[in-house]
Amino acid sequence: MPIVEDMTTNPGACAPAAARVAVVTGGSRGIGRAVSLKLARDGLAVVVNYAGDTAAAEETVKAITEAGGRAVSVRADVADEHAVAALFDRAEAEFGGVDVVVNAAGRLALSPIADLDLAVLDALHRTNVRGAFVVAQQAARRLRAGGSFVGFSTSVVGTQLPAYGAYTASKGAVEALTLTLARELRGRDVTVNTVAPGPTATDLFLTGKTPEQIDALAKAPALERLGTPEDIARVVAFLAGPEGRWVNGQTLRANGGLV
């Protein structure tokens, strides 16, 4: 049976449906959390998906509802098609439909290709490739006219740094999926794009790196700093909002000028 749990901490959850509704996978931490908060500030009701950290999901929902927004959190493994279908069912039942899907869930494993444990590769690709496909599949079936799908890649697909082979292979698959899905949704008035962040100050990025490595990576972009989750959230909000309607089938490298 799929793992699907939900929590509603907004006492006004039975109010009339919001104008637009977003599902954000990996929406309780890091970039996903920043996206959830930004979309809520922009007036969307947000379904915050998470994999296992219930406390972080509760805190994210609380931050949204205390600011006057509407949100629920739903636990689901993005690679489990039944759990993801139930996630979308919950969004439709709670808020009346789905207008924006942001697939921010992901794994990172660093290792030279020669040394990588293939069990680690399988787990990473299960989330980053299969999970991306499963979420995109439900988005293709459920998004209403005027909707948007935003996937996540990485600018390391372009820089191709050592030790990132498994990760960049998985994110290259996401980029390859982007234009294909956009073309398949022709006539639906739904946009499909991918954001490829550069070095961004999240726990996922910072873990396992020395201060010297972090400093070097911060100096690599032309803007000479690490990105913030909020930087990336603003890019996602642009693609998901009315100003981004003419951008479709693209991978946008949000990286401060990293080459």
Side-chain angles (χ1 to χ4, degrees):
M1 296 292 291
I3 298 175
V4 181
E5 299 175 3
D6 63 83
M7 301 169 290
T8 305
T9 63
N10 182 3
C14 293
R20 301 186 79 216
V21 180
V23 173
V24 183
T25 71
S28 65
R29 299 178 62 187
I31 291 172
R33 171 184 162 83
V35 169
S36 295
L37 296 175
K38 171 60 176 168
L39 294 180
R41 287 195 298 272
D42 287 351
L44 282 75
V46 181
V47 179
V48 179
N49 162 253
Y50 69 104
D53 190 338
T54 301
E58 289 178 332
E59 198 284 328
T60 300
V61 169
K62 182 179 179 182
I64 291 171
T65 57
E66 286 186 347
R70 303 180 67 207
V72 296
S73 61
V74 180
R75 183 181 180 188
D77 174 1
V78 293
D80 181 334
E81 66 271 29
H82 304 293
V84 173
L87 166 66
F88 277 75
D89 287 343
R90 178 61 177 159
E92 292 174 343
E94 184 68 29
F95 297 122
V98 179
D99 302 285
V100 174
V101 176
V102 181
N103 185 42
R107 290 176 180 259
L108 172 64
L110 300 179
S111 170
I113 292 169
D115 300 331
L116 182 66
D117 183 335
L118 293 182
V120 174
L121 176 71
D122 289 343
L124 186 149
H125 281 206
R126 184 178 187 275
T127 297
N128 292 5
V129 180
R130 179 184 170 89
F133 195 97
V134 168
V135 174
Q137 186 176 68
Q138 286 297 321
R141 294 171 179 174
R142 311 272 195 135
L143 278 168
R144 297 187 284 203
S148 299
F149 176 83
V150 182
F152 267 85
S153 179
T154 170
S155 286
V156 186
V157 170
T159 59
Q160 299 177 351
L161 297 174
Y164 281 83
Y167 186 62
T168 56
S170 71
K171 293 303 187 177
V174 173
E175 294 190 14
L177 184 67
T178 303
L179 183 54
T180 299
L181 182 58
R183 287 171 169 164
E184 289 180 353
L185 296 183
R186 176 185 291 272
R188 290 268 304 275
D189 189 25
V190 171
T191 63
V192 180
N193 294 288
T194 289
V195 177
T200 304
T202 65
D203 289 342
L204 184 68
F205 171 80
L206 296 173
T207 299
K209 294 183 176 68
T210 66
E212 293 75 18
Q213 289 172 322
I214 293 170
D215 184 61
L217 288 165
K219 291 177 179 176
L223 293 180
E224 295 189 326
R225 67 172 177 87
L226 294 178
T228 67
E230 291 72 25
D231 288 327
I232 309 304
R234 285 189 286 269
V235 174
V236 172
F238 164 73
L239 293 173
E243 293 85 0
R245 295 305 300 169
W246 194 234
V247 183
N248 193 25
Q250 305 301 310
T251 296
L252 198 163
R253 304 211 181 284
N255 60 26
L258 183 70
V259 294

